[in-house]
Amino acid sequence: MGKAFVYGMSVGGENFTDRVKETARLKFNFENGMNTILISPRRMGKTSLVKKAMSEVSNPSIKLVYMDIYDCRSEYDFYNRFASVLLKETASRTSQVVDNIRQFLVRVSPKISFSPEPLSEISFSLGITPKEYQPEEILNLPEVIAKEKGFHIVVCIDEFQQIGELPDSLTVQKRMRSIWQHQENVSYCLFGSKKHLMTNLFQSKRMPFYQFGEMMYLGRIPTEDWVRFIVARFEKYGKHLSPELAERICSTVDGFSSYVQQLAWNLLAETTETATEENFNNAVDALLAQCSGLFVEQTIGLSAYQLNFIRALCAGIHTDFGSKKVNDEFPLGTRSNIARIKSALIERELIEERPEGTFLTDSVFERWFIREIGKK
């Protein structure tokens, strides 16, 4: 029997719920060579959606390549990851990986290791440096491979916001855009977990990737779809959950997909036969405890002004932070200081600006903050 609920990792199979329209659209883009930029808050299931759409593409002339660049800290870190994943994923069998390296990267001497286990994958390190290859050559590698092998490549890059964190990032972005925009046999799906960085990369007219592809915004899965899914999963595992409690799971975590699955899992673990109010409260307590370490880390080093700003948000204040009434209760300093507070908290991904005001990005963090820090 598989897992009832999955969180903290990409979700597939029967644990993937809804996203029918988004999956169909993304699959359509993959099959028709459209570049796609996927933007949403954290914990909304971007990676799961991309992998779901990839799994539904059956055209043998389309090769889909997924890579995660979260730990890339330099330009050539990225090029090595980019090239190695491309060479591995465009090989039809394990032994062909070596052939790909010899054919498409003749000037490197990779370190290759084979495991004696029959089902283990080949592992290798390319060690690409500026001495062997210029950036433009690596960036054009998918086009070279696609032309040689006669198929279209879709390159899906997770945590793409890391590109904006690289040294001399603007130059790197210009190189990427100048090469990728002319490729005829390759398309890209770029997505990441830091909404404000992704938004800056792709929505600012001064940035190289402005209008690079279709923008997709991933919102919340409708509550009614979650309720059906959660109730059915409980029933499958021999337990009962009322639709009302299933709906409260969604409202408690503001519909964030990963949190919905995590809280549902906690409640399933607390439930013997039929989920009760006490079970639900215990599940919420468990969720806050599970997230506590992360939230403590996020608040370490915050100034008194920044903590007061978060307190104001928790109290339901989302505009007019410079007013005397707000500052009497939550001292924030001058208007220029408030602007600096906002900038710092946005950089930490703790708050976000919406048309209706400023809000905390994470409803579970808000619950934890009220309980653990509150008016201290």
Side-chain angles (χ1 to χ4, degrees):
M1 185 179 291
K3 298 177 181 178
F5 300 99
V6 177
Y7 61 92
M9 58 188 295
S10 62
V11 175
E14 62 181 9
N15 292 104
F16 187 91
T17 182
D18 196 62
R19 301 293 189 203
V20 175
K21 292 182 179 179
E22 296 95 331
T23 302
R25 181 63 185 211
L26 199 52
K27 178 189 174 188
F28 181 79
N29 286 1
F30 289 167
E31 292 174 333
N32 291 276
M34 173 65 72
N35 293 330
T36 308
I37 315 304
L38 186 59
I39 293 180
S40 81
R42 287 183 177 185
R43 301 184 178 90
M44 281 296 182
K46 292 180 291 296
T47 301
S48 299
L49 171 63
V50 171
K51 289 186 175 181
K52 174 68 172 177
M54 290 173 67
S55 72
E56 294 195 357
V57 176
S58 58
N59 188 337
S61 68
I62 299 174
K63 198 70 175 178
L64 294 119
V65 175
Y66 168 86
M67 65 184 72
D68 187 331
I69 64 168
Y70 179 75
D71 58 346
C72 292
R73 294 294 181 265
S74 71
E75 184 177 1
Y76 270 83
D77 277 353
F78 170 77
Y79 296 145
N80 275 279
R81 177 68 49 78
F82 188 72
S84 62
V85 175
L86 276 166
L87 293 170
K88 181 182 290 187
E89 296 300 318
T90 56
S92 58
R93 58 188 184 278
T94 300
S95 60
Q96 196 180 57
V97 175
V98 178
D99 296 333
N100 275 357
I101 297 172
R102 290 171 178 167
Q103 181 178 2
F104 298 112
L105 287 180
V106 298
R107 298 197 299 276
V108 299
S109 299
K111 297 178 181 178
I112 303 173
S113 62
F114 298 87
S115 171
E117 298 296 327
L119 298 179
S120 296
E121 293 186 356
I122 183 175
S123 61
F124 61 93
S125 174
L126 294 175
I128 300 171
T129 70
K131 292 181 180 179
E132 290 89 20
Y133 284 95
Q134 293 300 305
E136 291 76 10
E137 294 178 276
I138 302 302
L139 292 170
N140 201 45
L141 184 61
E143 178 74 0
V144 173
I145 294 174
K147 283 184 177 180
E148 179 65 27
K149 294 180 177 283
F151 47 54
H152 182 90
I153 296 177
V154 180
V155 181
C156 301
I157 305 180
D158 203 346
E159 303 294 356
F160 191 79
Q161 77 280 341
Q162 286 301 120
I163 297 301
E165 302 285 282
L166 299 180
D168 198 14
S169 170
L170 196 58
T171 298
V172 176
Q173 292 174 55
K174 288 177 180 177
R175 284 179 181 146
M176 290 177 170
R177 177 66 188 257
S178 67
I179 299 297
W180 290 353
Q181 69 182 351
H182 297 298
Q183 293 176 345
E184 298 178 354
N185 301 284
V186 184
S187 56
Y188 295 85
C189 176
L190 309 176
F191 55 109
S193 61
K194 294 188 177 181
K195 183 181 176 183
H196 81 283
L197 293 178
M198 289 292 292
T199 300
N200 181 60
L201 286 175
F202 294 101
Q203 290 189 321
S204 173
K205 292 182 179 180
R206 62 184 179 82
M207 299 300 285
F209 275 103
Y210 179 67
Q211 292 189 334
F212 179 69
E214 178 185 327
M215 303 290 293
M216 284 184 64
Y217 299 91
L218 198 59
R220 291 160 175 76
I221 294 174
T223 298
E224 57 268 26
D225 294 330
W226 271 126
V227 169
R228 285 194 296 269
F229 172 78
I230 297 168
V231 169
R233 299 301 283 171
F234 266 70
E235 293 296 334
K236 180 175 180 179
Y237 283 77
K239 300 182 182 183
H240 178 72
L241 175 70
S242 69
E244 291 74 22
L245 270 184
E247 185 172 340
R248 280 183 61 193
I249 290 175
C250 301
S251 61
T252 298
V253 298
D254 199 22
F256 280 72
S257 298
S258 181
Y259 281 147
V260 170
Q261 297 242 20
Q262 187 171 357
L263 183 52
W265 171 254
N266 287 348
L267 183 52
L268 184 71
E270 291 286 339
T271 302
T272 303
E273 294 181 356
T274 299
T276 65
E277 183 74 17
E278 181 181 2
N279 295 149
F280 181 83
N281 292 334
N282 289 339
V284 173
D285 288 342
L287 176 64
L288 295 178
Q290 290 157 357
C291 297
S292 180
L294 171 63
F295 295 156
V296 167
E297 183 179 342
Q298 288 178 322
T299 54
I300 287 176
L302 293 182
S303 70
Y305 285 129
Q306 291 167 339
L307 291 172
N308 281 341
F309 192 90
I310 294 174
R311 290 187 181 101
L313 295 179
C314 291
I317 298 168
H318 303 289
T319 59
D320 299 325
F321 299 103
S323 68
K324 184 178 185 302
K325 181 180 178 180
V326 171
N327 267 273
D328 283 346
E329 187 173 0
F330 305 100
L332 299 173
T334 64
R335 291 188 180 274
S336 61
N337 192 53
I338 293 171
R340 287 192 292 269
I341 292 170
K342 282 187 178 182
S343 179
L345 295 179
I346 288 173
E347 183 65 26
R348 283 181 175 243
E349 294 279 317
L350 288 174
I351 67 171
E352 63 181 2
E353 296 281 17
R354 304 176 193 169
E356 62 272 30
T358 306
F359 293 81
L360 288 165
T361 60
D362 189 325
S363 59
V364 178
F365 171 83
E366 183 172 348
R367 280 179 171 269
W368 173 86
F369 188 93
I370 292 170
R371 174 183 291 191
E372 299 298 326
I373 298 179
K375 294 186 177 182
K376 292 181 183 177

